[in-house]
């Protein structure tokens, strides 16, 4: 994937130059038309009304800045990974997910029907989807724990799906196994071994304390 340099928004709010991975996808041309065409129509109607001497044209002009703001908000879908967190931003909206809270990462093909379309959608597959049409059609679904400890899920379309999944797998709380078309979270063998060692150490300390108490009781007799 070609290197994507941070813009001013990413520099200030999404890890800036310290990003380990950065992907930015702009909306396709036909989506630009969906926003820009109504703006031009409103301007044309306002100009016609003003030419007729009607002040109603001010109403049409008032709509134009709102349409322009919506267009500006959804120009880019941004994905950034820093050492601490995964940032997903569509316009000004999207989550910041601590890497340590990530439990599962899956790579697949974005099904716009199942997810309810493009843009920001409450996905029928669960969680929230952030998506733009075009690109290679790939998406990454991240399952994580939110601030309340509840399971949450987010899906994002990105041309760097495999790279993103690999990075999250290596930086997240648990390692993963790579399947044919997705990444599955595997068992953390190292964590289990450390936990077993700590339990064994605690049991040994408990046995030593019991033995010491037994000796003390014998002496007191």
């Amino acid at each position: 994937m070609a290197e994507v340099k941070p813009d001013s928004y990413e520099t200030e709010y999404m890890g800036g130059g310290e990003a380990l991975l950065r992907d930015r996808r702009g909306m396709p041309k036909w989506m630009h038309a969906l926003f820009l065409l109504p703006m031009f129509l409103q301007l044309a109607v306002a100009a016609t009304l003003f030419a007729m001497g009607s002040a109603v044209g001010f109403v049409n002009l008032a709509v134009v800045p709102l349409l322009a703001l919506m267009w500006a908000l959804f120009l880019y879908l941004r994905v950034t990974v820093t050492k601490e967190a995964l940032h997903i931003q569509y316009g000004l909206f999207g989550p910041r997910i601590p890497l340590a809270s990530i439990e599962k990462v899956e790579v697949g093909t974005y099904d716009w029907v199942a997810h309810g379309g493009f843009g920001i959608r409450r996905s029928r597959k669960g969680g929230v989807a952030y998506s733009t049409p075009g690109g290679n059609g790939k998406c990454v679904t991240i399952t994580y724990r939110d601030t309340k400890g509840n399971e949450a899920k987010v899906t994002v379309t990105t041309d760097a799906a495999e790279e993103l999944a690999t990075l999250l797998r290596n930086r997240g709380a648990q390692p993963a196994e790579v399947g044919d078309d997705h990444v599955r979270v595997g068992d953390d063998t190292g964590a289990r071994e450390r936990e077993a060692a700590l339990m064994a150490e605690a049991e040994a300390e408990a046995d030593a304390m019991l033995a010491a108490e037994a000796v003390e009781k014998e002496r007191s007799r």
Side-chain angles (χ1 to χ4, degrees), residues 38-39 41-43 45-47 49-50 55-70:
M39 291 169 55
L41 289 176
Q42 292 293 334
L43 289 172
V45 171
L49 290 171
F50 287 142
V56 179
F58 285 107
V59 177
N60 298 87
L61 283 181
V63 176
V64 174
L66 295 177
L67 292 172
L69 177 61
M70 291 180 61

Side-chain angles (χ1 to χ4, degrees), residues 4-216:
V4 180
K5 295 183 178 180
D7 58 20
S8 57
Y9 184 88
E10 292 161 358
T11 298
E12 185 169 357
Y13 299 107
M14 300 179 66
E18 298 180 357
L20 304 174
L21 180 145
R22 183 181 294 106
D23 184 41
R24 187 191 314 135
R25 289 181 63 177
M27 68 172 68
K29 293 180 179 179
W30 63 267
M31 285 190 71
H32 285 284
L34 290 178
F35 286 100
L36 297 177
L37 183 58
M39 291 169 55
F40 288 124
L41 289 176
Q42 292 293 334
L43 289 172
V45 171
T48 301
L49 290 171
F50 287 142
M52 296 171 59
S54 174
V56 179
F58 285 107
V59 177
N60 298 87
L61 283 181
V63 176
V64 174
L66 295 177
L67 292 172
L69 177 61
M70 291 180 61
W71 171 68
L73 282 177
F74 293 97
L75 275 176
Y76 295 109
L77 171 58
R78 297 177 170 93
V79 179
T80 297
V81 181
T82 64
K83 293 179 180 179
E84 295 80 23
L86 163 66
H87 302 257
I88 298 174
Q89 293 267 206
Y90 205 161
L92 301 177
F93 309 100
R96 176 187 181 278
I97 304 171
L99 299 186
S101 70
I102 295 174
E103 296 185 339
K104 185 178 181 182
V105 180
E106 297 175 285
V107 176
T109 301
Y110 186 77
D111 185 345
W112 68 271
V113 175
H115 288 288
F118 294 100
I120 302 176
R121 293 286 184 271
R122 179 66 64 177
S123 176
R124 297 172 187 173
K125 291 188 174 183
V128 180
Y130 297 82
S131 63
T132 59
N136 58 18
K138 291 291 186 179
C139 67
V140 179
T141 298
I142 301 102
T143 303
Y144 64 100
R145 293 288 169 179
D146 62 19
T147 55
K148 296 181 179 179
N150 299 320
E151 183 178 280
K153 185 181 294 186
V154 63
T155 297
V156 60
T157 56
T158 170
D159 292 332
E162 297 293 346
E163 295 171 74
L164 176 61
T166 299
L167 182 57
L168 294 180
R169 181 182 71 228
N170 293 337
R171 293 275 174 176
Q174 301 184 55
E177 300 171 357
V178 179
D180 294 334
D181 58 354
H182 65 281
V183 178
R184 298 186 303 275
V185 174
D187 294 327
D188 192 344
T189 304
R192 291 204 310 271
E193 291 177 350
R194 290 191 296 273
E195 183 179 354
L198 289 173
M199 290 182 64
E201 183 178 347
E203 289 175 357
E205 291 180 358
D207 290 341
M209 290 177 63
L210 291 174
E213 289 179 1
V215 171
E216 188 64 28

